[in-house]
Amino acid sequence: QVQLVESGGGLVQSGGSLRLSCRASGNFFSIWTMGWYRQSPQKERELVATVTSRGTTNYADFVEGRFTVSRDNAENTVYLQRNSLKPEGTADYYCKAEGIVVRRETYYHTGGEGWGRGTQVTVSS
């Protein structure tokens, strides 16, 4: 099983910078894709960005270069960077792991997904 712990959220003024971190731990060999989703009271949970273990990134259309996702495979940690925050960025941000690879006796099993409990980001005007 995989456990995801987010950190770095909090209250930030508009125009400020923020970096969210999510570290995965548990009984697994690797994780194919890790990423970030966000949810506000006005909207359903939506994709922000993902990155694979090989460095391939995927961003939602609304990001438009405002977020940067990165990953440290050795530490099983994914980051989400934003240097010019806007009030629209206020939301609960959730870390997701997909394609959890478990090493078995004769093969590797890949499947399943996990969610972190989320971290709140509030951007004030």
Side-chain angles (χ1 to χ4, degrees):
Q1 192 64 256
V2 62
Q3 295 82 46
L4 304 172
V5 180
E6 301 100 334
S7 62
L11 176 63
V12 183
Q13 286 189 319
S14 180
S17 299
L18 190 69
R19 187 177 73 165
L20 303 180
S21 300
C22 172
R23 183 168 185 173
S25 62
N27 298 320
F28 62 90
F29 180 76
S30 63
I31 299 173
W32 179 243
T33 303
M34 299 182 69
W36 293 93
Y37 292 70
R38 71 179 185 181
Q39 183 174 357
S40 66
Q42 298 79 24
K43 301 181 66 176
E44 298 292 327
R45 189 173 299 183
E46 62 182 351
L47 168 73
V48 178
T50 63
V51 57
T52 72
S53 62
R54 303 186 69 175
T56 301
T57 57
N58 179 43
Y59 294 94
D61 290 339
F62 73 83
V63 169
E64 299 179 349
R66 297 190 297 271
F67 292 90
T68 300
V69 65
S70 60
R71 176 171 175 170
D72 185 337
N73 290 330
E75 298 294 329
N76 294 311
T77 302
V78 63
Y79 304 93
L80 186 67
Q81 177 76 38
R82 175 68 190 275
N83 293 323
S84 299
L85 288 164
K86 300 189 298 182
E88 299 93 285
T90 297
D92 293 330
Y93 286 75
Y94 296 87
C95 179
K96 182 182 180 181
E98 183 177 0
I100 302 167
V101 182
V102 179
R103 187 178 184 179
R104 297 183 177 176
E105 183 175 327
T106 59
Y107 64 98
Y108 292 90
H109 173 74
T110 303
E113 60 184 37
W115 289 91
R117 294 185 176 182
T119 183
Q120 186 177 61
V121 174
T122 302
V123 185
S124 62
S125 300

